[in-house]
Amino acid sequence: MLERTKPYILLWSEVALPRLVPNHASHNDVTNLFHRHLKGYIGEKKVDYHINFLRKKFTILRGITLKNKDRTFQIDTLILSNYAIFPLEVKNFANQITFDTDLNQFIRNDGETETGFRHPISQAEAQRMNLIQWLDEHNIHSIPIHYFVVIADPETVIKVTGEGGAKERITKIVSHGEHIPQKILTLEKHFESQPYRKINHVKLGQLIVKNAHTKYIDYCNRLKIQLKDIKPGVKCPACSEIGMVRYREKWLCQKCRHTSRTAHIPTIREFLIIFGRGISNRECRYFLQVESRQLATRLLKSANLYYSHKYRRWFSKDIPYFLNKL
């Protein structure tokens, strides 16, 4: 079972936002990115709680990104059973949402205004087609794929308007997270009674994880954020104030007086996440606000990084970097 981790865009915006100068032209964009993806991540974690009840019988993959011949696509949650695959498209909307089957619209009402969004069933259907293509490319055919649109917040009111079969179809596909396990178990029982070939879902899950593709985007380049736009300084692990000073082999927070021997390590990690180009000794001295080259080297070594003589920069094995920046 693949555990859910924060998506790269959430990690990036989470560390970039507190350091980005307030008057930067992209400050609002970064703020919106952070809040939107944090909300999505919280919603996915809520749904995870409910589907964990299936973990002994099914293979559960979270936040999977795959790449087929045509495109890269991401599935919030993928549940593999003995007879079928169940992709979950998770939505974390509050208040009231409406599926209008006459006009094929999806509308959120937050109590003040109505806002239209991309139809989540269309998104789920597109992911289903992408998944079928990916499976075909790996010579895996004829597996039933039944997707759900999952509403994370149990207090969200779900309305379906219109007449006919479309309305009935939506009520079968859209559900609050707490009802998803029983719906999947019911469908699994149905598939079990049909002439479908049994799936080795553990082996299939291993194949998917092996081919999982992490999509990284150079957000600094996209949003025109430069080094001068990011506030330097070691962040206090106690109060999050940026600007700890070096004092007797420790870092001292001038705001709360907390001391730490290792506060530079997460600060260096923040630089690596924000800029995606590794870090040079000079950049380290600037970002940690220290003057000694020897001290900077010692601090970089203590952060469990590796040095590239080709690029003359330090890198982390678990943080991506962009070759066009090197």
Side-chain angles (χ1 to χ4, degrees):
M1 183 170 66
L2 188 65
E3 295 299 325
R4 189 177 304 282
T5 58
K6 288 183 180 179
Y8 176 69
I9 176 55
L10 179 56
L11 284 174
W12 181 86
S13 57
E14 190 174 46
V15 299
L17 187 57
R19 292 182 179 271
L20 185 62
V21 293
N23 61 347
H24 192 276
S26 295
H27 196 279
N28 285 341
D29 293 330
V30 177
T31 301
N32 292 335
L33 277 174
F34 170 69
H35 288 295
R36 185 168 78 249
H37 287 277
L38 177 62
K39 182 179 179 182
Y41 178 71
I42 291 172
E44 290 162 358
K45 293 289 283 184
K46 287 180 181 178
V47 175
D48 287 345
Y49 171 78
H50 296 293
I51 65 172
N52 274 344
F53 294 108
L54 300 172
R55 66 185 183 275
K56 291 183 179 180
K57 187 175 181 180
F58 302 102
T59 296
I60 303 174
L61 307 178
R62 298 174 166 92
I64 283 291
T65 300
L66 296 171
K67 190 174 185 179
N68 58 32
K69 188 169 65 175
D70 295 330
R71 60 179 58 83
T72 299
F73 61 100
Q74 191 263 339
I75 298 175
D76 295 334
T77 303
L78 197 60
I79 300 176
L80 313 176
S81 77
N82 285 325
Y83 294 96
I85 299 176
F86 303 95
L88 307 185
E89 179 72 24
V90 180
K91 297 299 177 185
N92 194 15
F93 289 106
N95 299 106
Q96 178 182 296
I97 56 174
T98 301
F99 292 84
D100 184 337
T101 62
D102 288 333
L103 299 176
N104 199 27
Q105 288 184 322
F106 175 71
I107 303 163
R108 182 198 65 189
N109 187 326
D110 63 4
E112 295 181 359
T113 59
E114 288 189 341
T115 308
F117 290 87
R118 184 184 175 191
H119 206 297
I121 292 180
S122 298
Q123 291 177 267
E125 182 61 33
Q127 302 300 46
R128 176 179 177 273
M129 298 306 296
N130 285 327
L131 182 57
I132 289 173
Q133 183 177 337
W134 186 90
L135 291 168
D136 284 344
E137 290 172 6
H138 289 80
N139 295 314
I140 302 170
H141 312 286
S142 303
I143 297 178
I145 298 176
H146 187 99
Y147 58 79
F148 290 99
V149 173
V150 188
I151 309 304
D153 189 341
E155 296 182 359
T156 301
V157 177
I158 305 171
K159 292 183 66 177
V160 182
T161 63
E163 302 293 338
K167 184 175 181 179
E168 182 181 351
R169 177 171 173 265
I170 286 177
T171 59
K172 292 181 179 179
I173 293 172
V174 180
S175 176
H176 287 111
E178 62 187 309
H179 304 303
I180 290 299
Q182 188 56 53
K183 284 179 175 287
I184 287 177
L185 289 171
T186 301
L187 277 170
E188 177 71 354
K189 192 172 182 179
H190 166 73
F191 289 132
E192 194 173 342
S193 66
Q194 303 299 311
Y196 289 114
R197 181 169 54 89
K198 197 170 183 179
I199 304 166
N200 186 335
H201 61 82
V202 174
K203 188 175 179 180
L204 177 58
Q206 291 170 345
L207 176 67
I208 291 172
V209 170
K210 182 180 177 181
N211 286 273
H213 172 81
T214 303
K215 187 176 182 180
Y216 298 118
I217 295 175
D218 186 352
Y219 290 102
C220 279
N221 182 56
R222 174 177 288 188
L223 299 171
K224 296 180 171 54
I225 296 173
Q226 302 177 38
L227 180 59
K228 65 181 178 62
D229 301 318
I230 296 294
K231 183 179 180 180
V234 174
K235 182 183 289 185
C236 175
C239 71
S240 298
E241 182 75 6
I242 296 173
M244 297 182 85
V245 295
R246 191 75 177 168
Y247 178 72
R248 295 183 178 178
E249 297 296 310
K250 296 181 181 179
W251 298 100
L252 170 66
C253 178
Q254 300 178 83
K255 181 180 180 181
C256 72
R257 311 309 292 176
H258 177 77
T259 61
S260 170
R261 290 187 179 274
T262 58
H264 61 283
I265 295 177
T267 296
I268 291 172
R269 183 176 177 84
E270 287 190 1
F271 182 96
L272 297 173
I273 291 172
I274 292 170
F275 293 103
R277 64 186 183 207
I279 186 169
S280 67
N281 188 287
R282 177 181 292 182
E283 289 170 337
C284 179
R285 280 177 277 152
Y286 167 74
F287 207 63
L288 301 184
Q289 298 288 277
V290 297
E291 295 182 358
S292 168
R293 183 179 182 86
Q294 290 73 27
L295 174 60
T297 299
R298 195 163 75 247
L299 295 174
L300 286 164
K301 286 181 178 179
S302 72
N304 196 30
L305 306 179
Y306 68 92
Y307 184 72
S308 167
H309 290 279
K310 178 179 179 180
Y311 298 114
R312 301 179 68 181
R313 307 180 75 81
W314 296 79
F315 298 91
S316 170
K317 291 181 179 179
D318 66 335
I319 299 175
Y321 58 90
F322 302 98
L323 291 174
N324 64 304
K325 285 191 167 187
L326 304 179

